[in-house]
Each structure stands twice: as structure tokens, then as C-alpha cells.
Amino acid sequence: MKGKLLLATGVAVGYVLGSRSGRQGYDELKEHAKDFWDNPSVQEQVAHAKDLAREQAPFVQEQLTAAARKAMQRATSS
């Protein structure tokens, strides 16, 4: 899924940058992107990703704090 999204993004950027149809092509692409973003299944996945990020935030914070302490100890002991 991630690879497909990355490919689609690359194709879209390439189209916009290489398009000779000017503003019309850009406006069509923008409308398609808006339709995609407004799709209920896409918004469901966005909400799921937000919930997951909120759920994992305390764990990530703990890991970053531990890594920072470890780095600080290594820096001061050298």
C-alpha cells in the first residue's frame, strides 16, 4: 500500500511538473486529489492513523527520552 501511494504521488508530481496542458491539467489533478481525500474509506484510514499515533505517543516519548539519556551519558563519559 505504501509503495502504491508513493508511486501515485510521484506520478502526480511528474504530471504537474511535466504537463504541457497548463492550468487545466493542474486543476483536473487537484480535483481528483480532493475527491480521493474526501473519500470516506480514505478518511477512515486517516482517522485510524491519527488514533494509532495518539495511542503510541507515550511509548515513543519514553523511547526518545531513554535514547537521549543514553546519548548524554555517552557524551559526558567520553
Side-chain angles (χ1 to χ4, degrees), residues 6-34:
L6 188 59
L7 176 64
T9 302
V11 168
V13 169
Y15 176 77
V16 169
L17 294 177
S19 177
R20 292 187 177 172
S21 60
R23 182 74 181 187
Q24 181 182 4
Y26 171 75
D27 288 339
E28 288 176 13
L29 181 62
K30 185 177 172 183
E31 186 64 31
H32 288 300
K34 184 182 179 313

Side-chain angles (χ1 to χ4, degrees), residues 1 3 7-8 11 17-18 27 33 45 48 52 64 66-67:
M1 177 71 178
L7 176 64
V11 168
L17 294 177
D27 288 339
Q45 293 299 316
H48 177 67
L52 184 62
L64 289 173

